[in-house]
Amino acid sequence: MKIKTFFFTIIGVFLFSNSYSQRIQLDSLDLQIHQLIKDFDIPGLSIGIVRNDSVIFSKGYGNLEIHKESKIDENTIFGIGSISKSFTALTLGILVDEGKINWDDKVKKYLPYFELYAPYVTENFTIRDLLTHRSGLKDVSGGILWYHSDYSREEVIKRLKYLEPISGFREKPAYQNVMYVVASEIVKTVSGMSWDDFVKTRVFDKLKMDNTTSLSAERESNSNLAQPHIWNNDYEKVAIKQENGDNLAPGGFIYSSSNDMSNYIRLLLNNGAIGKDTIVSPKIINEIFKPQIIFPFTGAPFNNEFTSYGFGWWLTPKNGHKIIEHSGGIDGMSANLVMIKDMNLGFVVLTNEAEEPATFLLTAKLLEKVLNDKSYDIYSRVLDYRNQNLKEKKESPVQISKTPKTKPSLELQKYAGTYSDKMYGDILINYTGKGRLEFSFSHSPVFTGTLEHWHFDTFKIDWNDIRVPDGFLTFNFNSKREILGFSIDQENLLDVDFGELNILKNKN
């Protein structure tokens, strides 16, 4: 999931020699993290730091859930979001290492049902293309297919053919989640086991990542599970229900702990080996960390015009070093993982809150000290901006203009019916008989709510789930005043772009 936005915290004071050996003053670390939690109202977080193949710090702070006493520790599991992509790249790398696939194999060779917007693209799309965000589709395209839906991974893939491109194939990058789902199904086809079983047996188990899982059922059975938090309508932190996420696990729904992720960092810094076990060869790790496509950002200080993407990793040159990192975000959870290989240093920050920039702030302070670079000193500025912005939102909520004294063109019951989008499927509007219309997406329970007349043939959508902000639905008519369909004017949610839908009324 895309979360290339601010994210930082104060984490410790680093002292350096010319050889980059460093000593972290751990006695100051707790105070700084506690201040971050207070300043940004963070329910809880966990952090792990690796240096020279050793976990030098791993600890949890705060609570699993707000207003409850259960404490977070170094084994508490959080959603790592899009950091999951790197695990999918690694599973493919294992198969490349074994000679079972090549990075430039065509996707159709393994998944005959794979189809995109043009025959040439479909036939020439490679595994390398899957991992490098160069499909030609728009940013995070197809989010409506997986977000809180009951569609399987295979069904999501089969519906990708309806997505429209915005650029030429391999012309320029645009961040994707669904292509990592495609990649995981190649692992399944080649290995003969599900991607979930493969990543567990070939990665998690070997790294002793005992609290890490890609399956929601296993996650929910873990009593040491952090709960996600968002702002409610009054801008207060509230806990929400975990999303299932199984259909997007290869691209965004692995859950892990700071202890487990520290072992993952050890593997990557040590070129594919941990202890006496070699999981994958140095050649594969080098390919994973090699720039595959230029992906420039203007978001200083974390990225720059030379930022590129490898296989599941952002790569940014800074002060003579290559910063290897990825952030992750799902509903109510945020994560960030950073490595500097030539320093043998890496760290991970996990939080059970997604509205605040805590993980990036912690990252910024670490990089400021490690790289001796004051451009990362942004804590005070971000805190001031955050507080001012929050104050303005509370005092002056956005008001949508409304034309008074209008009424719908038709009686309410005539708006009821089954509508559909060829990519997504059916969307239902029911008349309750009590002057109300109910609205629901057939495969996504999160998108259920009621329609309140706003003006003309526009209705306000009052979604039942707190994580979905109010939106608007406008019915479209032909010259005979027959309903053709409707459009949704809705703030995008995580990676869901309602503008990708072309919703038409089904003919009786």
Side-chain angles (χ1 to χ4, degrees):
M1 316 349 215
K2 191 176 183 184
I3 188 168
K4 294 297 296 177
T5 51
F6 267 13
F7 225 77
F8 5 51
T9 295
I10 296 182
I11 179 167
V13 178
F14 289 76
L15 304 176
F16 304 95
S17 68
N18 291 332
S19 64
Y20 298 113
S21 63
Q22 57 272 107
R23 176 171 60 85
I24 301 177
Q25 295 181 350
L26 299 180
D27 56 347
S28 66
L29 181 59
D30 281 351
L31 293 176
Q32 294 168 330
I33 291 180
H34 282 299
Q35 188 64 49
L36 170 75
I37 290 173
K38 179 182 177 181
D39 287 343
F40 290 89
D41 190 24
I42 306 300
L45 66 81
S46 188
I47 179 171
I49 305 173
V50 174
R51 172 67 175 157
N52 292 332
D53 201 31
S54 297
V55 180
I56 61 173
F57 191 82
S58 186
K59 189 174 180 180
Y61 299 81
N63 300 317
L64 298 177
E65 184 174 345
I66 196 168
H67 306 313
K68 294 191 176 180
E69 294 301 318
S70 50
K71 298 297 182 183
I72 287 172
D73 60 30
E74 64 275 13
N75 293 311
T76 298
I77 63 171
F78 298 76
I80 67 170
S82 284
I83 302 172
S84 306
K85 291 178 173 64
S86 65
F87 285 94
T88 299
L90 184 61
T91 58
L92 288 165
I94 291 171
L95 295 176
V96 172
D97 229 8
E98 295 174 347
K100 295 179 179 178
I101 64 172
N102 291 301
W103 295 116
D104 294 304
D105 283 347
K106 302 294 194 296
V107 174
K108 287 282 284 186
K109 176 180 178 180
Y110 304 103
L111 304 178
Y113 59 85
F114 175 74
E115 184 178 352
L116 290 180
Y117 50 85
Y120 175 84
V121 177
T122 297
E123 294 300 325
N124 289 279
F125 215 88
T126 65
I127 294 173
R128 191 180 302 272
D129 294 322
L130 292 175
L131 303 179
T132 51
H133 308 302
R134 58 189 194 185
S135 65
L137 297 174
K138 69 187 301 184
D139 216 27
V140 296
S141 192
I144 192 71
L145 289 173
W146 59 261
Y147 184 75
H148 286 266
S149 84
D150 59 13
Y151 282 132
S152 67
R153 293 172 193 169
E154 182 174 330
E155 188 61 37
V156 167
I157 296 170
K158 288 180 176 179
R159 292 174 178 270
L160 298 182
K161 62 184 178 182
Y162 298 112
L163 295 172
E164 297 291 337
I166 61 167
S167 69
F169 177 38
R170 297 176 183 158
E171 179 181 314
K172 61 181 181 180
Y175 191 84
Q176 301 297 322
N177 292 309
V178 290
M179 294 304 165
Y180 276 76
V181 177
V182 181
S184 74
E185 289 297 284
I186 292 177
V187 174
K188 176 182 177 181
T189 298
V190 174
S191 69
M193 65 177 74
S194 70
W195 174 83
D196 306 273
D197 287 342
F198 189 91
V199 73
K200 182 180 187 305
T201 57
R202 301 298 298 274
V203 182
F204 300 160
D205 288 351
K206 291 183 179 296
L207 297 182
K208 295 182 171 54
M209 298 177 70
D210 299 330
N211 291 304
T212 302
T213 183
S214 62
L215 299 172
S216 59
E218 289 185 6
R219 173 193 78 206
E220 294 300 322
S221 67
N222 191 325
S223 61
N224 198 1
L225 168 66
Q227 298 301 312
H229 296 80
I230 63 172
W231 279 326
N232 63 14
N233 292 333
D234 295 321
Y235 296 98
E236 298 170 337
K237 297 286 170 58
V238 294
I240 58 173
K241 184 179 179 181
Q242 307 270 357
E243 182 178 348
N244 178 295
D246 286 351
N247 57 5
L248 195 77
F253 274 89
I254 287 175
Y255 274 62
S256 189
S257 67
S258 60
N259 252 1
D260 283 5
M261 291 300 290
S262 294
N263 281 344
Y264 184 47
I265 292 171
R266 289 175 58 208
L267 174 82
L268 297 172
L269 291 177
N270 202 33
N271 294 316
I274 188 166
K276 296 181 180 180
D277 289 331
T278 297
I279 309 302
V280 70
S281 70
K283 179 181 179 181
I284 296 299
I285 294 296
N286 289 338
E287 189 70 18
I288 286 173
F289 288 155
K290 184 174 77 176
Q292 303 287 336
I293 184 170
I294 296 297
F295 210 138
F297 278 92
T298 57
F302 297 101
N303 306 108
N304 56 44
E305 67 269 30
F306 302 109
T307 295
S308 61
Y309 202 83
F311 291 156
W313 295 101
W314 302 101
L315 310 167
T316 301
K318 191 79 179 240
N319 299 356
H321 306 282
K322 181 167 72 174
I323 311 299
I324 303 168
E325 55 91 14
H326 215 292
S327 57
I330 57 177
D331 287 342
M333 295 272 194
S334 299
N336 209 26
L337 192 156
V338 177
M339 292 175 288
I340 308 175
K341 283 200 72 177
D342 62 285
M343 290 184 174
N344 279 319
L345 175 71
F347 52 88
V348 63
V349 185
L350 309 170
T351 68
N352 59 348
E353 203 283 334
E355 307 282 1
E356 307 283 5
T359 56
F360 279 116
L361 279 172
L362 191 46
T363 295
K365 184 54 67 175
L366 276 168
L367 290 174
E368 176 193 352
K369 299 304 180 181
V370 170
L371 301 177
N372 193 25
D373 187 340
K374 284 295 183 181
S375 69
Y376 291 100
D377 184 12
I378 54 179
Y379 188 92
S380 296
R381 283 181 290 144
V382 171
L383 178 59
D384 289 344
Y385 173 82
R386 178 261 190 193
N387 290 340
Q388 181 62 32
N389 188 48
L390 191 56
K391 180 175 181 290
E392 291 174 358
K393 285 182 176 181
K394 289 179 178 179
E395 294 178 352
S396 303
V398 176
Q399 299 292 332
I400 305 297
S401 61
K402 179 178 182 179
T403 304
K405 299 180 181 179
T406 67
K407 63 180 182 179
S409 299
L410 306 174
E411 297 175 354
L412 284 183
Q413 57 265 36
K414 292 186 178 180
Y415 292 94
T418 300
Y419 298 75
S420 65
D421 169 76
K422 63 182 180 180
M423 174 184 67
Y424 175 82
D426 289 345
I427 301 170
L428 310 176
I429 297 179
N430 297 315
Y431 178 63
T432 65
K434 300 177 182 178
R436 284 169 35 120
L437 293 172
E438 293 182 343
F439 178 55
S440 62
F441 281 58
S442 57
H443 294 279
S444 312
V446 70
F447 296 132
T448 301
T450 58
L451 300 180
E452 170 194 346
H453 180 251
W454 192 250
H455 57 201
F456 305 110
D457 289 299
T458 295
F459 292 73
K460 182 180 180 181
I461 308 172
D462 182 10
W463 300 103
N464 295 341
D465 196 297
I466 190 175
R467 77 192 80 199
V468 190
D470 291 343
F472 292 88
L473 181 156
T474 300
F475 289 93
N476 309 312
F477 294 81
N478 63 16
S479 59
K480 298 178 182 179
R481 300 307 295 162
E482 298 171 332
I483 297 176
L484 296 176
F486 61 80
S487 58
I488 297 175
D489 182 6
Q490 173 76 48
E491 178 183 338
N492 288 349
L493 186 68
L494 193 62
D495 297 333
V496 176
D497 182 355
F498 290 91
E500 290 190 312
L501 300 176
N502 180 26
I503 303 167
L504 302 176
K505 188 172 185 181
N506 290 1
K507 295 180 180 180
N508 295 329

